[in-house]
């Protein structure tokens, strides 16, 4: 990795790293889902993407959400919380594990949804999102390692579902990854996607009706105004690593292209309806009896389990939201990111997942290295193999 520095010696020099204020240490406790930057020394992030999976793309921000180390004692999260019952059709149930899932740290970056939709001809099962379908779990047979779980279950009169939204709603291009698996009954959809509206949405969807080697990668709208399927909207590659075991899923939302990866291998690409509006990350587990999700049998349930989520992204406007806007957030140290791309970090192929590593540095004195130089840096990075 270091070997590229000499190559860049004439234009890029090692520098005194600007160490961020001590308070950034608050973000580095391991036993916490506090949004982590883990990258005090980085001023931008590079990801290899593109049709050749080898074109550097640069992003300004980075977050890592780790759900793997939330247990204080063995067996703490072994039991699965009871299913929502027939009378709980208002989404009014409290969240489990409120010490974590209703903590300030969680609420700074995530929102648990409780909206619902009625049955229609096309989607014959009423669906109700409930906070009681979001919880922390642990395997009986393994170590202390924990994961976030979203559940959906079928009642007589409705489908109880789970959904969380990331509060960074002004993403404008991103590379987002998640280590997850899906288990349980047929008739459910696990979704991990960028969302602005029904026509600016880029999805990874796992359908439990599908074989475990098939994943759906879609840019919405997948149906046109007349209700007909748009054949180019969705790609469903086969022979993939099984989604009921832990895999790393990834979506790269770029200017003109969408690329999807599974365990760092590109498995789908699309130029159809690549989102153009500022969007947020949404994660859900649901069913509505429609053609896409299928029907879940009464009494059945399925879970979308997530070990960690990593995202690097640009924003439309200030990272903490538009001035005076209702979505203005207090991001503390996380919002302080200098302009330019002085210290480039990689997020893939690092020693510790979730801890970006420096790959190149520009001159300390020049705080305003133009993003334009990146094309050059990128080419050199490629030349030495990143
Ligand atoms: C940032 O750089 C300093 C000085 O080299 C180093 O001690 C520290 O570990 C680095 N931090 C991270 C998160 O890599
Ligand atoms: C992110 O923003 C920087 C600075 O504006 C720009 O150079 C870069 O191309 C953007 N990346 C993507 C993937 O849009
Ligand atoms: C459903 O669960 C709630 C909360 O535990 C309980 O009060 C209620 O009696 C249950 N209803 C049925 C029909 O089991
Ligand atoms: C749904 O959540 C909102 C806040 O996110 C809350 O104000 C509202 O009371 C909730 N609705 C129910 C039925 O719990
Ligand atoms: C569902 O239908 C009921 C009864 O018509 C209505 O009161 C309710 O507002 C509807 N809910 C939604 C989410 O549209
Ligand atoms: C603990 O279990 C998790 C989930 O099954 C797994 O990803 C992780 O590698 C395990 N860690 C060790 C140290 O065995
Ligand atoms: C995104 O939203 C805009 C505004 O609603 C719309 O014009 C456009 O068709 C949508 N989709 C894409 C891919 O731009
Ligand atoms: C789901 O079940 C309902 C009610 O039996 C039926 O109308 C609908 O066609 C089914 N959906 C699918 C996708 O089979």
């Amino acid at each position: 990795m270091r070997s590229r520095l000499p190559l860049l010696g004439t234009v890029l020099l090692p520098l005194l790293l600007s160490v961020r204020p001590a308070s950034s240490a608050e973000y580095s406790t391991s036993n916490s889902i506090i949004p982590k930057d883990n990258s005090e020394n980085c001023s931008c992030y590079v990801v290899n993407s593109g049709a050749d999976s080898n074109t550097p793309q640069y992003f300004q921000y980075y977050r890592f959400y780790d759900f793997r180390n939330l247990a204080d004692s063995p067996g703490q999260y072994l039991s699965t919380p009871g299913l929502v019952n027939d009378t709980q059709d208002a989404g009014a149930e409290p969240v489990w594990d409120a010490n974590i899932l209703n903590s300030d740290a969680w609420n700074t970056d995530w929102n648990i949804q409780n909206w619902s939709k009625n049955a229609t001809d096309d989607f014959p099962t009423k669906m109700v999102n409930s906070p009681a379908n979001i919880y922390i779990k642990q395997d009986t047979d393994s170590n202390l390692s924990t994961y976030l779980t979203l559940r959906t279950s079928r009642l007589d009169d409705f489908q109880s579902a789970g959904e969380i939204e990331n509060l960074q709603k002004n993403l404008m291009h991103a590379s987002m990854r998640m280590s997850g698996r899906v288990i349980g009954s047929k008739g459910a959809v696990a979704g991990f996607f960028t969302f602005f509206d029904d026509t600016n949405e880029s999805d990874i969807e796992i359908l439990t009706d599908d074989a475990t080697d098939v994943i759906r990668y879609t840019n919405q709208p997948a149906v046109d105004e007349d209700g007909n399927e748009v054949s180019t909207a969705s790609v469903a590659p086969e022979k993939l690593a099984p989604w009921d075991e832990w895999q790393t899923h990834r979506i790269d939302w770029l200017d003109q292209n969408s690329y999807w990866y599974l365990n760092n291998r590109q498995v789908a690409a699309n130029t159809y309806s690549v989102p153009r509006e500022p969007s947020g990350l949404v994660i859900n587990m649901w069913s509505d009896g429609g053609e896409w999700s299928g029907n879940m049998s009464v009494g059945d349930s399925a879970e979308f389990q997530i070990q960690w989520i990593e995202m690097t992204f640009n924003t439309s406007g200030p990272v903490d939201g538009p001035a005076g806007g209702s979505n203005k957030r207090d991001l503390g140290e996380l919002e302080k990111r200098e302009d330019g791309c002085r210290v480039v970090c990689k997020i893939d192929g690092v020693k510790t997942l979730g801890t970006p590593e420096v790959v190149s540095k520009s001159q300390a004195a020049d705080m305003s290295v133009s993003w334009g130089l990146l094309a050059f840096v990128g080419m050199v990075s490629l030349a030495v193999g990143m």
Side-chain angles (χ1 to χ4, degrees):
M1 290 306 133
R2 292 249 159 76
S3 65
R4 82 195 43 168
L5 284 175
L7 266 175
L8 297 172
T10 52
V11 282
L12 303 173
L13 299 171
L15 77 166
L16 283 170
L17 297 168
S18 74
V19 175
R20 294 189 145 182
S23 57
S24 61
E26 288 164 18
Y27 296 106
S28 62
T29 55
S30 67
N31 212 356
S32 148
I33 44 81
I34 288 171
K36 284 192 219 167
D37 193 301
N38 279 356
S39 55
E40 54 186 349
N41 300 328
C42 309
S43 48
C44 70
Y45 305 88
V46 63
V47 163
N48 277 342
S49 188
D52 60 357
S53 292
N54 214 5
T55 306
Q57 295 288 341
Y58 296 86
F59 297 94
Q60 288 178 278
Y61 300 98
Y62 178 81
R63 301 285 185 267
F64 186 65
Y65 305 96
D66 198 349
F67 305 107
R68 294 171 301 173
N69 303 301
L70 299 174
D72 299 316
S73 55
Q76 190 179 353
Y77 295 106
L78 282 184
S79 62
T80 300
L83 295 176
V84 164
N85 70 33
D86 282 299
T87 58
Q88 297 173 308
D89 62 354
E93 297 71 48
V95 68
W96 303 99
D97 310 316
N99 59 320
I100 293 166
L101 298 176
N102 195 21
S103 64
D104 287 348
W106 170 268
N107 292 331
T108 296
D109 268 40
W110 298 98
N111 199 340
I112 295 176
Q113 300 295 298
N114 61 13
W115 57 271
S116 57
K117 69 184 181 97
N118 283 329
T120 64
D121 286 347
D122 286 343
F123 309 107
T125 308
K126 173 181 171 179
M127 189 180 99
V128 181
N129 282 297
S130 171
N133 289 320
I134 315 292
Y135 44 90
I136 306 298
K137 240 175 109 168
Q138 215 174 357
D139 288 338
T140 40
D141 55 349
S142 76
N143 49 52
L144 279 170
S145 185
T146 48
Y147 43 85
L148 177 71
T149 303
L150 288 80
R151 176 176 63 193
T152 185
S153 64
R154 178 63 200 268
L155 289 302
D156 279 327
D157 295 330
F158 67 99
Q159 183 86 28
S160 186
E163 180 169 287
I164 62 173
E165 280 186 4
N166 190 275
L167 292 172
Q168 190 71 49
K169 301 266 182 105
N170 60 354
L171 306 176
M172 184 52 88
H173 307 145
S175 180
M176 42 181 69
R177 303 94 185 283
M178 157 275 293
S179 171
R181 70 180 176 193
V182 176
I183 57 163
S185 301
K186 290 186 173 303
V189 180
F192 179 87
F193 54 103
T194 70
F195 183 78
F196 170 73
D197 64 10
D198 291 345
T199 62
N200 289 265
E201 173 181 336
S202 189
D203 302 332
I204 298 176
E205 285 176 301
I206 292 168
L207 278 51
T208 58
D209 271 354
D210 279 340
T212 56
D213 70 346
V214 177
I215 298 178
R216 313 290 187 115
Y217 301 106
T218 310
N219 282 347
Q220 301 290 342
V223 289
D224 65 21
E225 279 158 11
D226 304 323
N228 298 315
E229 209 171 292
V230 179
S231 62
T232 49
S234 195
V235 189
E238 300 174 0
K239 300 196 168 69
L240 303 177
W243 45 250
D244 57 351
E245 296 171 16
W246 295 117
Q247 314 293 353
T248 301
H249 302 267
R250 164 176 161 194
I251 183 168
D252 283 6
W253 167 29
L254 305 179
D255 186 30
Q256 307 283 335
N257 297 83
S258 301
Y259 298 104
W260 290 269
Y261 289 79
L262 189 62
N263 302 328
N264 272 327
R265 183 169 72 88
Q266 193 180 116
V267 291
N270 212 338
T271 53
Y272 165 78
S273 197
V274 176
R276 279 184 293 216
E277 297 289 338
S279 302
L281 168 63
V282 180
I283 303 172
N284 60 17
M285 188 63 177
W286 59 279
S287 177
D288 59 11
E291 287 295 331
W292 188 256
S293 71
N295 276 311
M296 184 173 277
S297 303
V298 173
D300 278 1
S301 64
E303 295 184 354
F304 184 7
Q305 305 174 339
I306 297 173
Q307 293 183 305
W308 50 262
I309 297 162
E310 179 180 50
M311 53 200 255
T312 184
F313 56 95
N314 283 351
T315 58
S316 169
V319 66
D320 57 344
S326 56
N327 287 333
K328 195 86 184 163
R329 296 195 294 147
D330 180 6
L331 294 176
E333 284 306 313
L334 289 177
E335 78 192 52
K336 298 198 179 62
R337 173 71 62 193
E338 67 193 39
D339 290 337
C341 195
R342 198 167 47 85
V343 182
V344 183
C345 288
K346 64 173 183 176
I347 68 173
D348 293 309
V350 293
K351 255 200 326 282
T352 307
L353 172 77
T355 302
E357 290 173 9
V358 175
V359 288
S360 61
K361 302 166 189 175
S362 65
Q363 214 165 329
D366 183 3
M367 297 290 283
S368 59
V369 171
S370 99
W371 283 88
L373 180 63
L374 289 173
F376 171 73
V377 175
M379 274 156 43
V380 177
S381 299
L382 283 178
V384 297
M386 204 161 67

